Amino acid sequence: MVLVQTTRFGALEDVEVVEEAIITFPEGIPGFEQYTEYALIEEARFWPYAWLQPTDEPGVGFVLMDPHLFIPGYAPDLGCQDLTTLGLADDGALEMRCILVVPSDPKGATANAKAPLLINRPARRGKQVILMDERYALRHPVFEPAPDETLAVTASCSS
Amino acid sequence: MLVLSRRAGEAILIGGEIEVVILGTDGGQVRVGIRAPREITVLRKELLQQVQAENRLAASTGSSAGMDSLVKQSDLLPRTAVK
């Protein structure tokens, strides 16, 4: 087990993770190139969300989610992406996660479907790729509007 | 920064493996073709900057937002998606 520090809930705390959950991003992730080692914290009580925590910096972290949960059939064209840093893996072994932006009202959460994280779990390596695939957006809404909100929008459009 | 003038159809070599071809111009836009090995990432610079900014925003909102409040919203996930 590895102890990782996080301020995920405000106060600094230690979280115990299994060694397999320590993932190396050899190039860091854009904007945070200085951190290359991350703990992928997946707890049943937070399903379907996970937390990606740089092991060197408790004050930074990312909420992650499997894009298939909000984009059915999500299958980005990886084109000429260089996946060599991920280690040898057939496509089936690669897992995808999107980074979420969570505003104060979580209903407005968006996911970066344009730049998913690819994770080779057996090799414990990851990379955030930037897709040329135009179908996917930098800010994809995670949640559908509630039915009453949908009605309100329809009403305002027809008046 | 090295500055070169090129005409449409002319090319620039960077090292032995990267070729940049000026395909043509149209108004203020220049069309560029790039030949590079697969392991070289070719990106529009502003797209990388957008992803960096989005990651910084995600890091700043992720820490303060309770994961609990997100979990409570899970009923609003698209029903067509795999659950």
Side-chain angles (χ1 to χ4, degrees):
Chain A
M1 299 292 268
V2 182
L3 272 186
V4 176
Q5 290 194 312
T6 178
T7 55
R8 182 174 45 159
F9 303 112
L12 186 69
E13 62 172 312
D14 290 329
V15 178
E16 237 184 333
V17 295
V18 292
E19 227 157 279
E20 291 73 36
I22 304 294
I23 312 283
T24 301
F25 286 71
E27 300 156 20
I29 67 171
F32 296 89
E33 290 82 358
Q34 67 272 44
Y35 309 124
T36 55
E37 195 182 77
Y38 293 80
L40 180 58
I41 302 169
E42 296 170 304
E43 293 177 19
R45 64 191 165 127
F46 295 124
W47 191 90
Y49 311 98
W51 183 257
L52 190 71
Q53 177 69 56
T55 55
D56 292 338
E57 177 47 68
V60 168
F62 304 95
V63 180
L64 305 187
M65 191 178 185
D66 184 337
H68 298 99
L69 294 172
F70 50 85
I71 306 179
Y74 182 74
D77 176 9
L78 296 175
C80 344
Q81 291 285 347
D82 169 35
L83 302 180
T84 50
T85 56
L86 285 173
L88 287 176
D90 55 274
D91 288 351
L94 287 181
E95 292 181 32
M96 286 190 218
R97 295 290 182 273
C98 286
I99 297 179
L100 266 53
V101 170
V102 187
S104 50
D105 178 359
K107 283 194 193 76
T110 60
N112 186 348
K114 182 79 175 171
L117 304 183
L118 301 185
I119 298 172
N120 179 352
R121 217 179 268 260
R124 293 166 48 194
R125 281 180 164 251
K127 179 185 169 99
Q128 184 173 26
V129 296
I130 301 177
L131 304 173
M132 301 297 274
D133 198 324
E134 298 295 332
R135 291 174 297 168
Y136 301 118
L138 204 65
R139 290 188 178 165
H140 186 98
V142 171
F143 303 112
E144 286 184 331
D148 53 343
E149 290 172 39
T150 315
L151 281 176
V153 171
T154 313
S156 69
C157 288
S158 58
S159 64
Chain B
M1 185 185 286
L2 172 69
V3 179
L4 297 170
S5 294
R6 300 271 66 191
R7 294 181 190 283
E10 294 181 337
I12 296 164
L13 293 172
I14 302 171
E17 293 188 301
I18 300 172
E19 182 178 8
V20 180
V21 187
I22 307 305
L23 298 172
T25 56
D26 182 14
Q29 281 199 321
V30 180
R31 292 183 66 237
V32 175
I34 297 160
R35 246 181 236 119
R38 283 177 68 95
E39 64 271 18
I40 303 284
T41 305
V42 178
L43 273 181
R44 291 184 178 88
K45 185 175 179 179
E46 64 272 21
L47 186 53
L48 175 63
Q49 290 167 333
Q50 283 169 8
V51 171
Q52 288 172 331
E54 199 67 9
N55 283 344
R56 289 194 194 101
L57 184 63
S60 66
T61 60
S63 307
S64 54
M67 298 260 283
D68 283 327
S69 63
L70 267 179
V71 172
K72 289 192 189 112
Q73 305 296 326
S74 294
D75 287 348
L76 295 178
L77 287 172
R79 292 196 181 86
T80 43
V82 192
K83 291 209 177 168

